[in-house]
Every structure is written in structure tokens, then in C-alpha cells.
Amino acid sequence: RRFPLLTAILAQRGIEFPERFCAIIKNNDIGGAFDLLLEQNSGKDLPTVLLAHNDTMAMSLVRRINERGYKIPDDFSIIGHDNIAACQNMIPALTSVSFGTPEEIAEKLVKQLLHRLKHPKAPRAKAVLEPKLVIRESVKTLK
């Protein structure tokens, strides 16, 4: 679900996202997806930023990148999603998209639940959590 949204948002902003930059993960093998990315782009420019669907996949990606002799963030900047606690303990620390702390998420959920209990016939509501990019060492600073 995230990939089509990502490509649509990039297109709206005039950013090209070549299909060869997309590596489909098969059987939960993020390392294999990175190898596929290298194969698809043999002799061509590689992407400079890699986005993972979640932080756990990003961590596996970091390992494979290191195994292949590349350096983070010099060769690839890596961004995960979910901002799990382990992100800050990695070397390099992983940049991630956060949708709030567990406390903030719980607060929104409890407010919705209490509202629903008080007004059981009210229409369903969506809670929107604003994303925040938590920048750490896995993203190269451009000058």
C-alpha cells in the first residue's frame, strides 16, 4: 500500500522514480531485494536513498549493504518506518518515519474509544497521526 502512494507523491512533486529503483521483496528476503536492485541497475546510477517498509526491514538492508562493501550513509542513505526503539541503537543510528510515541498513539486511541462508548451510534471516525521524519546517522547530510 505504501509504494503506490510514495510514487504518486513523488510524481506530484516532479521527482522521477525509475521503475528500476524498485526491488520487490520475495519471501521476506530484504537482502535479496538489495541484490536485485544492484542487478537491475548494473552499469547505471544507483539510487542514493533507500526506503524500507519498516524499521526491521531497514535493519536487514543495512546488514546486506555492509556485506556488499557499501557504506551508509556515504553510498546509500537509509530510511525506515515506524521508529522502533532499536533505531537509535544501531550503527549508524537509523533514520525513520514516526507517527508519534506509543503514549501519543495510545492517547488518540483511548479518546476515540471513550467517544465511541459515549456515542455508540456516531459514525466511525479516523484518527490521523502526522508523520515526522526522525533524522539520525543513516542519512547523508548534503552541503
Side-chain angles (χ1 to χ4, degrees), residues 4-59:
L5 180 61
L6 172 66
T7 55
I9 290 170
L10 289 172
Q12 288 173 354
R13 289 171 171 73
I15 299 171
E16 179 188 357
F17 189 85
E19 190 173 326
R20 65 186 171 88
F21 283 2
C22 178
I24 303 300
I25 300 165
K26 295 177 183 169
N27 300 322
N28 249 357
D29 182 13
I30 189 79
F34 181 71
D35 293 341
L36 177 61
L37 178 73
L38 294 177
E39 182 183 314
Q40 289 174 174
N41 292 281
S42 178
K44 301 173 189 149
D45 290 333
L46 290 167
T48 56
V49 178
L50 301 176
L51 305 174
H53 284 276
N54 59 52
D55 294 330
T56 303
M57 287 183 171
M59 291 173 187

Side-chain angles (χ1 to χ4, degrees), residues 83-121:
N83 195 36
I84 62 174
C87 292
Q88 60 194 341
N89 298 323
M90 293 184 55
I91 298 175
L94 182 63
T95 296
S96 185
V97 177
S98 171
F99 283 95
T101 65
E103 292 81 11
E104 292 167 333
I105 295 168
E107 182 180 343
K108 281 211 181 242
L109 289 170
V110 169
K111 281 182 181 179
Q112 276 195 304
L113 176 62
L114 292 174
H115 182 265
R116 188 72 169 173
L117 290 171
K118 195 173 187 177
H119 307 283
K121 296 195 188 265

Side-chain angles (χ1 to χ4, degrees), residues 48 62 65-66 68-78 92 138:
T48 56
V62 166
I65 288 169
N66 289 330
R68 296 295 179 253
Y70 293 99
K71 301 290 179 210
I72 300 166
D74 296 333
D75 298 314
F76 297 100
S77 290
I78 307 295
S138 69

